[in-house]
Amino acid sequence: MCWFAVGELARFVLLYGAVEVAYGDWRQVRLVGVMTLLTIIILVAMTVTTGMLYTLRGALWEIRARTDEGVANEKFFRTLDRVAPAFAVLYLAWGFHVEDARDIYQMDLFHHFYDMTEASWFGEDSDVGQGLTDLDWRVSLGAMVVMFALKMFFAKLVEKGRSGFYGFAAAFSEFAFVFYGLNATVAFADARSEWVTHRSVVEGTTEVWAEAQEKIPVWDDLTSWFGDVWPLFLDAVAVPLAWLTVAMLVFGAYSDDTRALVKGTRLEKGVDRLEGSHDLTQRSFDQVTGGFRDRWVPLANSLRMVFRAGAPLFGMMCLCYVGVTVAGEYADRWIRHLVGTEAEWVWAYQGPPLSFVLDLVVTVLGMAILAATYDIAATRARLSGEPLSDV
């Protein structure tokens, strides 16, 4: 609970700083500061998540078994440094940073509401709500190059096993590389999209695709069904599995290796052939499949490890995780309806304390569910003579 409370306080201070530092002279420098604060906000979330899971280590059977075997208890900052690089990849791959960016945008609108309405009333331009989008593409590109160099540098140090906070620095540079370079990437993508759209091959392909959609009778029903089901699948299965992967990082069992996923199957021979191929072939394969592997391979390995303890364990974890989340949302609606108010604006100051308490309960229970799932899977694997970390 202390971790969560301190994390929420730090998050609010950083959000407030991000919406204040954006206005004034030296606009572009200030916008770089906004991106930096966004990066720090995510690092705070990483630290809090790691801290909450770390405090549960002493209650796990698996950790006690390791202690009895003479394995020294890992220090928190060592755990944080080890978790940071993989956490950054998972956090970005699954788009969890979008919520952090949305919070900055919403606080900016709420905090500078009168400035925005005044400018609109007098027909003037307003910078409110543009702290994450107004960074000049040249500044964005320059910062992106610098962060890329730092990212590669710290990644090499992490690969060599150097001691220190290089893992944490690698995570910071990974996040900063994405956020600093976002505006330059969007600018180049828009220019490329405009050029590609007017190519005759693309225009012809678009017409053929539209015609095929009209002639296939079940297309609309199929895409509508998939559009309804896919988000539910992500929220109910993929997101809990992603956070379970983070928990495994903290507790010491994690793999993002493709070989571990296909170990013992016929596909392992394909990995052998790929690893024995020409360097150019391997690099090309990595470029094509990099995003997919960052997003799904760690989750698939986590699912594989949990399935060793039985599929019902994974199903129960998803059910409990979703149940706690849905119960928190219903509790919020029920309390608001129970308390009520004659003026809607009153919830502007009544809402945050309620949201804090409910988020605290939901987050603590969610972390406990993840820890329990890992502990059951690890204990069953240990009793069967196959440690969970042996991936």
Side-chain angles (χ1 to χ4, degrees):
M1 292 185 181
C2 292
W3 274 109
F4 182 84
V6 172
E8 288 296 294
L9 176 60
R11 181 182 179 85
F12 176 81
V13 172
L14 291 169
L15 286 172
Y16 189 86
V19 302
E20 283 296 316
V21 75
Y23 301 97
D25 298 332
W26 299 88
R27 171 75 170 166
Q28 292 300 315
V29 176
R30 290 176 175 271
L31 294 181
V32 172
V34 173
M35 294 296 184
T36 303
L37 289 174
L38 173 60
T39 304
I40 297 175
I41 288 171
I42 297 176
L43 292 179
V44 168
M46 178 186 71
T47 304
V48 170
T49 302
T50 304
M52 294 182 71
L53 290 170
Y54 184 85
T55 56
L56 297 173
R57 287 172 62 96
L60 303 186
W61 295 327
E62 171 66 13
I63 303 301
R64 292 177 182 176
R66 291 182 195 172
T67 303
D68 294 339
E69 292 175 353
V71 178
N73 190 27
E74 191 176 37
K75 302 295 184 182
F76 170 72
F77 289 107
R78 177 69 184 91
T79 301
L80 180 63
D81 191 58
R82 178 174 55 79
V83 166
F87 182 93
V89 173
L90 283 170
Y91 204 86
L92 291 172
W94 282 96
F96 295 140
H97 61 285
V98 174
E99 183 178 352
D100 302 302
R102 186 183 296 116
D103 288 343
I104 290 180
Y105 174 75
Q106 290 178 344
M107 178 171 277
D108 197 3
L109 293 182
F110 185 80
H111 190 61
H112 297 97
F113 176 78
Y114 291 108
D115 296 335
M116 181 177 60
T117 54
E118 182 180 358
S120 176
W121 181 263
F122 291 102
E124 301 173 352
D125 293 333
S126 175
D127 295 330
V128 176
Q130 300 179 20
L132 297 176
T133 58
D134 269 3
L135 186 65
D136 186 85
W137 70 268
R138 291 173 288 258
V139 178
S140 175
L141 181 61
M144 183 180 182
V145 171
V146 173
M147 285 298 110
F148 180 78
L150 291 176
K151 176 180 127 173
M152 298 302 295
F153 174 71
F154 290 123
K156 290 296 182 182
L157 293 178
V158 171
E159 289 176 2
K160 293 179 180 179
R162 296 289 183 85
S163 59
F165 286 98
Y166 295 121
F168 195 84
F172 175 84
S173 57
E174 180 76 34
F175 286 125
F177 168 73
V178 173
F179 300 142
Y180 288 157
L182 184 61
N183 292 64
T185 303
V186 171
F188 287 122
D190 288 343
R192 179 179 178 275
S193 177
E194 184 177 356
W195 179 82
V196 169
T197 302
H198 292 86
R199 302 302 95 189
S200 58
V201 174
V202 175
E203 291 180 349
T205 303
T206 304
E207 293 176 0
V208 172
W209 181 253
E211 185 177 353
Q213 288 178 314
E214 293 177 357
K215 291 184 177 180
I216 299 177
V218 297
W219 181 264
D220 289 338
D221 295 336
L222 182 62
T223 55
S224 177
W225 176 85
F226 185 79
D228 292 338
V229 172
W230 183 247
L232 298 177
F233 169 80
L234 292 180
D235 291 339
V237 178
V239 171
L241 191 56
W243 288 118
L244 178 61
T245 304
V246 174
M248 288 183 171
L249 278 168
V250 176
F251 299 137
Y254 169 77
S255 177
D256 60 356
D257 183 17
T258 307
R259 175 179 294 279
L261 179 61
V262 298
K263 184 177 180 180
T265 68
R266 289 178 296 178
L267 296 176
E268 188 173 8
K269 295 181 180 179
V271 177
D272 291 335
R273 287 195 294 269
L274 177 63
E275 292 180 349
S277 63
H278 193 274
D279 288 344
L280 179 60
T281 303
Q282 294 184 40
R283 288 197 298 268
S284 300
F285 181 81
D286 290 341
Q287 289 293 328
V288 172
T289 63
F292 173 85
R293 289 186 293 109
D294 288 345
R295 185 166 187 169
W296 291 104
V297 170
L299 269 64
N301 275 314
S302 298
L303 183 62
R304 173 176 172 267
M305 287 187 279
V306 173
F307 266 25
R308 290 180 181 179
L313 175 63
F314 173 70
M316 182 58 67
M317 181 205 72
C318 293
L319 180 63
C320 292
Y321 192 93
V322 174
V324 168
T325 303
V326 173
E329 295 176 354
Y330 271 100
D332 180 80
R333 293 174 57 183
W334 179 77
I335 294 175
R336 289 176 186 269
H337 178 74
L338 179 65
V339 174
T341 179
E342 296 181 357
E344 295 182 359
W345 60 267
V346 173
W347 281 104
Y349 63 84
Q350 287 182 342
L354 173 61
S355 298
F356 172 81
V357 173
L358 292 177
D359 289 343
L360 171 63
V361 173
V362 170
T363 303
V364 169
L365 292 178
M367 294 298 170
I369 291 170
L370 297 175
T373 302
Y374 166 81
D375 198 27
I376 294 173
T379 301
R380 289 182 178 177
R382 178 178 291 276
L383 293 176
S384 65
E386 187 180 9
L388 192 65
S389 57
D390 182 17
V391 296

